[in-house]
Amino acid sequence: MNLPIYLYGTQVLRKVAQPIDQTYANLEKLMADMYDTMYNSDGIGLAAPQIGLDIRLLVFDLDVMSDDFPEYKGVKKTMINAQIIETFGEEVSREEGCLSLPGIHESVTRQEGIRIKYLDENFQEKEEVFEGFIARVIQHEYDHLEGVLFIDHISPIRKQLIKSKLSNIIKGKVRCHYRTKTSSK
Ligand code: NI
């Protein structure tokens, strides 16, 4: 089921998300809905706060990029209660966007690699190292679980330049090809 994406200005995007366990209601359906919603909005990653839930659940699927980057073939993961244990490597800047911030793209500096612990969709414990673009996607989605958005990482000058775009999103004056929920409705 395709769910509306919560946009900038909705409070849930600023909450610190909480861990869940296997008793969480309808979790399988929820995970399937998150993938549906992500594919429907042409996203490559989605965190639960973006569908209005303050829980530590994120999904990503980079397969759509595999024509240009064969290494992303089948790179699809569900992460529950993820904890980044360490970040390492050089700081790299690259343009990011976010389904919750339609029309905004800004360069964000992040570290090259991460080591992360999480539970997969079957609640199996995993610990993995990711580098490069995958590590960036995970850090972006992980930020959502901490109530952080990519625009929090940009300079005050850049933030000033996108101020009117941000206030339009808050007012619901934004065009999207996917379903959205704004703070004004
Ligand atoms: Ni995002």
Side-chain angles (χ1 to χ4, degrees), residues 45-47 50 96-101 140-141 144 148-150:
L46 188 71
Q50 295 181 276
E96 292 188 17
C98 179
L99 294 173
S100 296
L101 289 149
H140 176 116
E141 299 312 328
H144 279 299
V148 173
L149 299 169
F150 80 90

Side-chain angles (χ1 to χ4, degrees), residues 4-42:
I5 304 265
Y6 282 59
L7 298 190
Y8 177 75
T10 54
Q11 287 192 355
V12 67
L13 293 180
R14 290 311 195 179
K15 280 189 177 174
V16 176
Q18 298 303 307
I20 55 168
D21 62 27
Q22 291 181 70
T23 66
Y24 192 85
N26 302 320
L27 187 55
E28 256 178 54
K29 170 148 188 358
L30 173 61
M31 291 190 287
D33 288 349
M34 282 187 64
Y35 279 102
D36 286 348
T37 304
M38 178 175 74
Y39 296 139
N40 191 268
S41 53
D42 297 320

